[in-house]
Amino acid sequence: MDVRIHESWKKLLQEEFDKDYFQTLVNFVKSEYATKTIFPPAKLIFNAFDLCPPENVKVVILGQDPYHGVGQAHGLCFSVPDGVKQPPSLVNIFKEIRDDVQTPIPVSGNLERWAQQGVLLLNATLTVRAHQAGSHQKHGWETFTDSVIQIISQHCDHVVFLLWGAYAGQKTGLIDTSKHLILKSVHPSPLSAYGGFFGNKHFSQANDFLLAYGKTPIIW
């Protein structure tokens, strides 16, 4: 089927788009948007892919599903648009960056600037009902995003995968560790951040890895 997504991704993912499960997923998602309030706005479902084509991917950060509050989700995991209050997990991410690489905490929680540098901000589930966390899980998105991770592992070289929390950590088996770096810790949520997210130094470690392979580091 024809999916509106960055042309480079389209070539890599077309086989996935043509599978029966993906058509079933599309039908479910279209029905949900037609009858309920769903986030992100439909035109931003593939925003992470459009801002970070496969040839640019240096780092993958994996979230679980989009923010389910009004005005928060815009297709990039952990990110919120300009002018929207930073959610607690994002606040903790910025605190760790400040302590790790001495970058001041920004006013905006919009992470498009990361995406444009080669950070794929990928949620495992790309849509959600308003105020119902996890409501679009187990409808096919996870099958799709697992394939995305495998395709990155196969087609890209020397990518850093930041896997925070138990859910993201389960994706380790999809990644070829002979050429990619996996950095795991607890989730940046306030419920767990003090159990090993703070002090994990993932941002400096990611940049050290990129530099070692002649890539430009990320300005976090």
Side-chain angles (χ1 to χ4, degrees), residues 2 9 17 22 26-27 35 61 66 82 91 96 99 133 139-140 156 183 190 205 217:
D2 189 42
W9 282 113
F17 295 147
F22 196 84
V26 167
N27 292 340
T35 58
I61 299 179
D82 294 327
V91 170
E96 175 57 24
D99 295 343
H139 286 279
C156 302
L183 297 175
Q205 288 185 68

Side-chain angles (χ1 to χ4, degrees), residues 115-193:
Q116 289 159 352
Q117 295 179 78
V119 181
L120 183 67
L121 295 159
L122 180 66
N123 275 315
T125 302
L126 299 188
T127 53
V128 70
R129 286 180 195 163
H131 315 301
Q132 294 184 43
S135 50
H136 280 191
Q137 292 175 7
K138 299 186 171 70
H139 286 279
W141 277 130
E142 297 93 335
T143 303
F144 172 70
T145 52
D146 280 359
S147 293
V148 170
I149 293 168
Q150 289 176 301
I151 284 167
I152 292 169
S153 178
Q154 292 164 9
H155 290 269
C156 302
D157 289 319
H158 312 306
V159 173
V160 183
F161 290 83
L162 302 183
L163 306 181
W164 301 329
Y167 181 84
Q170 294 170 6
K171 307 299 182 180
T172 304
L174 304 173
I175 301 161
D176 180 355
T177 55
S178 70
K179 63 175 180 172
H180 303 297
L181 176 65
I182 296 175
L183 297 175
K184 294 168 69 174
S185 79
V186 298
H187 196 274
S189 160
L191 298 174
S192 56

Side-chain angles (χ1 to χ4, degrees), residues 2-220:
D2 189 42
V3 175
R4 276 190 252 171
I5 194 172
H6 190 285
E7 202 56 42
S8 296
W9 282 113
K10 196 169 194 174
K11 289 174 184 173
L12 286 177
L13 294 169
Q14 189 59 56
E15 190 175 316
E16 212 62 29
F17 295 147
D18 290 338
K19 291 180 180 177
D20 290 343
Y21 88 86
F22 196 84
Q23 182 61 64
T24 302
L25 170 63
V26 167
N27 292 340
F28 165 75
V29 170
K30 282 182 176 178
S31 171
E32 288 283 289
Y33 273 94
T35 58
K36 299 177 178 68
T37 301
I38 305 299
F39 300 130
K43 65 181 181 181
L44 297 178
I45 291 173
F46 294 109
N47 197 23
F49 298 86
D50 292 334
L51 290 174
C52 185
E55 59 269 22
N56 291 357
V57 174
K58 299 176 184 175
V59 178
V60 177
I61 299 179
L62 187 68
Q64 195 154 354
D65 61 355
Y67 295 125
H68 52 81
V70 176
Q72 292 181 303
H74 66 141
L76 308 173
C77 74
F78 294 107
S79 179
V80 290
D82 294 327
V84 175
K85 183 181 178 182
Q86 297 174 10
S89 291
L90 182 57
V91 170
N92 287 339
I93 289 168
F94 284 150
K95 286 178 180 177
E96 175 57 24
I97 290 171
R98 177 197 62 195
D99 295 343
D100 184 13
V101 296
Q102 289 72 58
T103 299
I105 292 176
V107 173
S108 174
N110 190 335
L111 303 181
E112 287 180 1
R113 59 191 176 84
W114 291 5
Q116 289 159 352
Q117 295 179 78
V119 181
L120 183 67
L121 295 159
L122 180 66
N123 275 315
T125 302
L126 299 188
T127 53
V128 70
R129 286 180 195 163
H131 315 301
Q132 294 184 43
S135 50
H136 280 191
Q137 292 175 7
K138 299 186 171 70
H139 286 279
W141 277 130
E142 297 93 335
T143 303
F144 172 70
T145 52
D146 280 359
S147 293
V148 170
I149 293 168
Q150 289 176 301
I151 284 167
I152 292 169
S153 178
Q154 292 164 9
H155 290 269
C156 302
D157 289 319
H158 312 306
V159 173
V160 183
F161 290 83
L162 302 183
L163 306 181
W164 301 329
Y167 181 84
Q170 294 170 6
K171 307 299 182 180
T172 304
L174 304 173
I175 301 161
D176 180 355
T177 55
S178 70
K179 63 175 180 172
H180 303 297
L181 176 65
I182 296 175
L183 297 175
K184 294 168 69 174
S185 79
V186 298
H187 196 274
S189 160
L191 298 174
S192 56
Y194 286 95
F197 182 80
F198 291 133
N200 67 19
K201 299 192 181 300
H202 280 184
F203 303 96
S204 59
Q205 288 185 68
N207 278 348
D208 288 347
F209 182 82
L210 295 175
L211 283 165
Y213 288 98
K215 297 187 178 187
T216 307
I218 305 299
I219 301 170
W220 298 108

